[in-house]
Amino acid sequence: MSRKRKELPILENIEITDVAAEGNALAKVDGMVVFIPYGAPGDIADIKLLKKKKSYAEGRIAQLCRPSSVRVEPRCSHFGVCGGCKWQHLPYELQLKCKQQQVVDALTRIAKIELPPIYNIIGSDNIWCYRNKMEYTFSNKKWLTFEQLASGEDFPDRDAAGFHIPGAFDKVLDIDKCYLQDHLGDEIRLFIKNYAKTNGFSFFDLKNQNGLLRTLMIRITSTGETMVVLSFGEDSPAEISSVLTAIKDKFPFITSLMYVINTKPNDTISDLDIKTFYGKPYIEEQMEGLTFRIGPKSFYQTNSNQAYKLYSTVREFAGLKGDELVYDLYTGTGTIANFVAKRCKKVIGIEYVADAIEDAKINSQVNGIENTLFYAGDMKNVLTDDFVEKNGRPDVIIVDPPRAGMHTDVVDVILNASPERIVYVSCNPATQARDLALLDTKYKVESIQPVDMFPHTAHVENVVSLTLK
């Protein structure tokens, strides 16, 4: 018989003093750090402890005794449940200050190398409706809030179209309105949900792995093009055609209407055949006169306006004069490679995902760019000393790795290649700091520029330029 877990106490009248990593707020109680979501510096609250370790604890606000003066009213009715935006209750100026500090803390505490002053973070002009891509899940197990459960009311209709609840893989929060994408995204999602319910089409059951409507991806570019990709959990041609035809008739301006049959245990569609029902198999985004084709599997920065600021910073930090050989590692669909190509002699891009490399080549062709060369494969296997010897020693290396940072083998090859300059783009300042410490044997950090790509979240991008010592 298992032992009953001991009920943790409620800590009364605790002052929340700061904002910590992962978007949580922070309080200190008798020398112990307590992490609390949705708190604000200056809050006085009763904190219900949920987990307690030797050096820290995790809790939630059981009662807000005295709200902080810095708090603002969240715009979204789903705030606090959805989990997508953790900082809507904080003014944007404070969000930027917290992200700036996140970069400072990571680079000083983890890298522990000589650093120049860090530039002030580049904020986002749009803090609402800034995302060009949103993904939703259909489920027959709608998440019920604590208030709904406590009401004693019966909820026979559990169909939902929205976001996964953090920590509950089979529960989905039904979304009325999301403020992160253009309102058109809400219109499309709600139309599909209501059409399916009206016609008795089933929503996916994540536990039993059955049901027609499974996932939905909506991409809206700054040029006004729209892509809708609907994933079906069952191969039912008549029902699928009915749904897609209804979408086409209701939203005839959709540029690309696509669908995929996914009967796998997971929601990923990158390994599946995505079919075009109506329109083109891609949409186009534009940046500084360049056109980028975006397919259903393509990666493109989800904040188009901020992406331009980010890539402009990268290009500036690269210090290109026109005669350089540039390596663009983790090139994705070649956005950075094509963006800097006109300022250098040649760009060589490397990316793990083969489909992304094909997109990168297409983007070069569409823009008439002839000085790019792309390779697909695992970075640590492609980027070797032999590769550098064959393709030439780079003058500049641009790296934009995933959150885990760079493999040590990749760092070693970069050090051996010894380019004059490295530009390191990161969505995770902690792993970036770790890698900067490894590069410190031969490189000096010259410039640091944080960029906010995702208002109301704790995520921050950071660009660092390094020069050969």
Side-chain angles (χ1 to χ4, degrees):
M1 184 175 176
S2 60
R3 291 170 54 187
K4 186 176 181 181
R5 180 180 294 181
K6 184 179 178 182
E7 183 75 12
L8 294 173
I10 292 179
L11 307 177
E12 297 183 343
N13 293 311
I14 302 300
E15 181 181 5
I16 295 173
T17 57
D18 207 346
V19 176
E22 305 300 326
N24 290 316
L26 180 149
K28 290 185 178 179
V29 182
D30 297 330
M32 178 181 65
V33 175
V34 184
F35 296 105
I36 310 127
Y38 307 113
D43 280 344
I44 304 296
D46 294 343
I47 307 299
K48 169 63 177 174
L49 292 186
L50 304 175
K51 183 187 295 184
K52 187 175 181 182
K53 302 291 184 180
K54 282 187 177 181
S55 58
Y56 74 94
E58 297 176 11
R60 64 174 176 85
I61 296 177
Q63 181 175 336
L64 191 56
C65 305
R66 191 179 74 211
S68 168
S69 60
V70 306
R71 276 185 174 266
V72 294
E73 188 67 26
R75 180 176 291 195
C76 181
S77 63
H78 304 296
F79 178 72
V81 182
C82 163
C85 299
K86 290 191 174 180
W87 282 356
Q88 277 195 28
H89 63 302
L90 301 179
Y92 188 55
E93 296 76 15
L94 179 56
Q95 295 180 31
L96 292 178
K97 182 180 177 182
C98 293
K99 295 185 184 194
Q100 178 89 14
Q101 193 60 45
Q102 182 182 335
V103 172
V104 171
D105 290 345
L107 298 192
T108 54
R109 296 176 183 177
I110 299 173
K112 297 179 180 178
I113 58 176
E114 182 181 350
L115 298 170
I118 298 175
Y119 296 138
N120 289 334
I121 187 170
I122 298 174
S124 180
D125 294 332
N126 300 320
I127 65 171
W128 306 107
C129 303
Y130 61 83
R131 287 187 66 98
N132 56 44
K133 176 186 176 184
M134 294 294 287
E135 295 179 272
Y136 301 98
T137 298
F138 295 98
S139 172
N140 65 348
K141 295 289 191 300
K142 177 168 68 177
W143 173 262
L144 298 179
T145 65
F146 293 116
E147 290 77 15
Q148 288 174 320
L149 291 171
S151 70
E153 186 180 345
D154 188 28
F155 294 92
D157 178 11
R158 297 289 295 274
D159 288 338
F163 300 126
H164 282 275
I165 290 291
F169 85 95
D170 64 329
K171 299 294 191 301
V172 169
L173 178 68
D174 194 44
I175 298 293
D176 295 318
K177 184 175 180 60
C178 178
Y179 289 90
L180 295 187
Q181 191 179 46
D182 184 272
H183 65 88
L184 176 61
D186 288 323
E187 291 181 25
I188 294 172
R189 184 191 68 256
L190 293 173
F191 173 79
I192 295 172
K193 183 181 80 169
N194 293 332
Y195 182 84
K197 289 168 70 69
T198 299
N199 289 274
F201 297 155
S202 58
F203 286 47
F204 201 69
D205 187 315
L206 286 154
K207 279 190 174 179
N208 296 320
Q209 292 287 297
N210 56 41
L212 183 69
L213 293 178
R214 185 159 184 173
T215 63
L216 170 68
M217 177 172 69
I218 301 173
R219 303 181 98 146
I220 305 172
T221 69
S222 62
T223 59
E225 295 195 340
T226 303
M227 173 182 284
V228 174
V229 182
L230 200 52
S231 173
F232 296 96
E234 296 173 352
D235 190 359
S236 303
E239 294 179 333
I240 289 172
S241 179
S242 173
V243 174
L244 295 173
T245 300
I247 297 170
K248 174 180 172 292
D249 292 343
K250 176 68 175 178
F251 305 99
F253 52 81
I254 287 177
T255 317
S256 176
L257 179 56
M258 312 183 80
Y259 72 100
V260 59
I261 310 298
N262 181 13
T263 57
K264 302 186 290 114
N266 59 67
D267 287 339
T268 59
I269 60 174
S270 59
D271 57 340
L272 298 175
D273 180 27
I274 301 178
K275 300 175 182 178
T276 304
F277 181 81
Y278 170 77
K280 303 180 296 184
Y282 59 86
I283 52 177
E284 292 182 335
E285 183 63 274
Q286 291 187 342
M287 184 185 297
E288 202 179 72
L290 297 174
T291 297
F292 294 98
R293 286 190 179 179
I294 303 170
K297 300 179 184 180
S298 299
F299 170 79
Y300 193 85
Q301 287 283 358
T302 51
N303 186 334
S304 299
N305 293 334
Q306 286 301 94
Y308 177 64
K309 295 179 183 179
L310 180 73
Y311 297 152
S312 296
T313 300
V314 171
R315 188 172 61 190
E316 178 188 345
F317 279 9
L320 303 174
K321 295 181 173 60
D323 58 350
E324 295 89 355
L325 172 60
V326 177
Y327 281 12
D328 181 28
L329 310 186
Y330 313 93
T331 190
T333 55
T335 313
I336 291 178
N338 285 299
F339 188 73
V340 304
K342 62 183 177 182
R343 302 283 184 92
C344 63
K345 183 178 180 180
K346 185 177 183 180
V347 185
I348 295 175
I350 305 174
E351 165 63 39
Y352 176 75
V353 182
D355 285 345
I357 287 297
E358 292 307 309
D359 287 339
K361 292 176 181 177
I362 290 171
N363 284 326
S364 288
Q365 293 168 7
V366 167
N367 291 286
I369 297 172
E370 298 179 346
N371 61 333
T372 57
L373 183 63
F374 296 101
Y375 293 90
D378 191 315
M379 188 64 61
K380 70 180 188 305
N381 297 330
V382 175
L383 185 71
T384 63
D385 293 332
D386 288 342
F387 180 93
V388 173
E389 186 174 341
K390 176 184 175 183
N391 289 276
R393 176 180 170 271
D395 301 293
V396 178
I397 289 183
I398 299 171
V399 299
D400 187 4
R403 289 188 62 81
M406 294 192 290
H407 193 282
T408 52
D409 290 351
V410 176
V411 175
D412 290 341
V413 174
I414 291 174
L415 291 171
N416 289 338
S418 300
E420 290 296 321
R421 185 179 296 272
I422 299 170
V423 182
Y424 191 146
V425 188
S426 175
C427 59
N428 185 348
T431 55
Q432 184 184 45
R434 178 204 65 201
D435 293 343
L436 293 179
L438 298 175
L439 293 168
D440 186 61
T441 56
K442 295 181 74 170
Y443 287 87
K444 178 182 179 180
V445 175
E446 186 178 67
S447 304
I448 305 169
Q449 178 64 72
V451 181
D452 182 25
M453 303 291 288
F454 306 108
H456 311 300
T457 78
H459 299 295
V460 60
E461 295 271 339
N462 193 45
V463 186
V464 175
S465 69
L466 304 98
T467 53
L468 198 60
K469 289 181 180 178

